[in-house]
Amino acid sequence: PKLELLYVNSDKRGAVYDSVSGGRDRRGSYSARLAGRYAAWDYDLEGVYQGGTYRDLDVSAWYVSAMGGYTFKAPWSPRLGLRLEAASGDKSRNDGKLNSYAQMFPQPISLRTDFGITNMVAIQPQLTFKPAPKLTAGLQVAGLWRQSDEDGLYGLGGQVLRGGLEGTAHYVGWRQAAFASYAVSPFVTVTGIVNHTTSGTFLKQTGMADDQTYAGLIVGLRF
């Protein structure tokens, strides 16, 4: 197993959250991560706490992640996994505190890169397999909910996409996705993605909420 401890001190000017207008965001982020393998099992656990100040508000925010899977001894090495993630949103607009988690190193919470993890709970079963040594393919579904109904929905870059007070529901949507990734060389990978999003109650309460299908092609370069 591998244990990682991390501290990050950040100072952002002009940071914007749903419950408050722009201001200076100064935080300390304390992270612990444990990852490893045991026989056919793999696991990756992480927790982050953030404290500091935003304008004249005290910051208290958190993030937790748990990922694990089992790889079967069968043709194509199928792996069945589960990814759980949650990050805090602001509990109240009038308590003198800001609980919205600030994304440190943003990563997509599903195969489509539109939503960030701030004020989000995501549950994602996954199935991956390797039809060939250089080819990895997979299927996954993702259920998405707001963590706090006082806070909004955020993009991967931290921008507010929908205001929290525009709707009352927690349920954001449900996604079904498939991907295939081919290692052209040790330095080049090509990945194709197809993703369908079924809009949930919160999106329907807050404006345009058509179900969407997204397809993308990503070329990854490693130097």
Side-chain angles (χ1 to χ4, degrees):
K2 178 172 63 176
L3 175 64
E4 296 179 351
L5 301 176
L6 178 68
Y7 171 74
V8 176
N9 183 271
S10 59
D11 188 344
K12 298 180 182 179
R13 297 179 183 272
V16 177
Y17 298 93
D18 179 41
S19 57
V20 283
S21 57
R24 188 174 184 179
D25 189 344
R26 291 180 284 188
R27 305 187 181 215
S29 299
Y30 306 83
S31 170
R33 176 174 175 259
L34 179 66
R37 300 186 65 91
Y38 179 77
W41 294 92
D42 62 85
Y43 59 90
D44 192 327
L45 311 172
E46 184 178 9
V48 181
Y49 174 76
Q50 294 180 334
T53 59
Y54 177 84
R55 294 173 48 182
D56 58 345
L57 303 176
D58 293 329
V59 170
S60 179
W62 54 265
Y63 164 81
V64 292
S65 172
M67 291 179 277
Y70 183 89
T71 301
F72 295 88
K73 292 182 178 179
W76 293 11
S77 301
R79 176 187 177 275
L80 185 61
L82 182 64
R83 177 180 176 184
L84 307 174
E85 287 187 281
S88 61
D90 200 23
K91 294 180 182 178
S92 171
R93 296 168 182 260
N94 303 306
D95 62 356
K97 296 181 180 180
L98 178 65
N99 310 112
S100 301
Y101 178 74
Q103 305 170 109
M104 292 189 295
F105 309 106
Q107 294 184 353
I109 57 175
S110 61
L111 290 180
R112 186 173 178 182
T113 60
D114 50 353
F115 295 149
I117 193 60
T118 302
N119 194 38
M120 184 74 81
V121 176
I123 301 176
Q124 300 183 66
Q126 304 169 328
L127 174 63
T128 58
F129 42 91
K130 294 182 68 67
K134 294 185 178 182
L135 177 63
T136 301
L139 303 169
Q140 73 174 39
V141 294
L144 308 175
W145 295 265
R146 287 192 300 157
Q147 191 274 325
S148 169
D149 60 7
E150 290 287 318
D151 207 342
L153 183 64
Y154 292 79
L156 187 64
Q159 70 274 26
V160 180
L161 301 178
R162 302 280 175 101
L165 298 184
E166 297 177 35
T168 58
H170 284 261
Y171 177 47
V172 173
W174 188 259
R175 292 186 158 173
Q176 309 89 43
F179 77 93
S181 182
Y182 184 76
V184 179
S185 75
F187 309 102
V188 180
T189 302
V190 179
T191 303
I193 297 169
V194 177
N195 184 112
H196 179 76
T197 300
T198 302
S199 297
T201 310
F202 179 69
L203 293 179
K204 293 177 180 178
Q205 289 176 341
T206 56
M208 187 174 179
D210 294 337
D211 295 349
Q212 295 184 358
T213 299
Y214 165 85
L217 184 65
I218 301 170
V219 177
L221 304 177
R222 178 180 295 177
F223 298 96

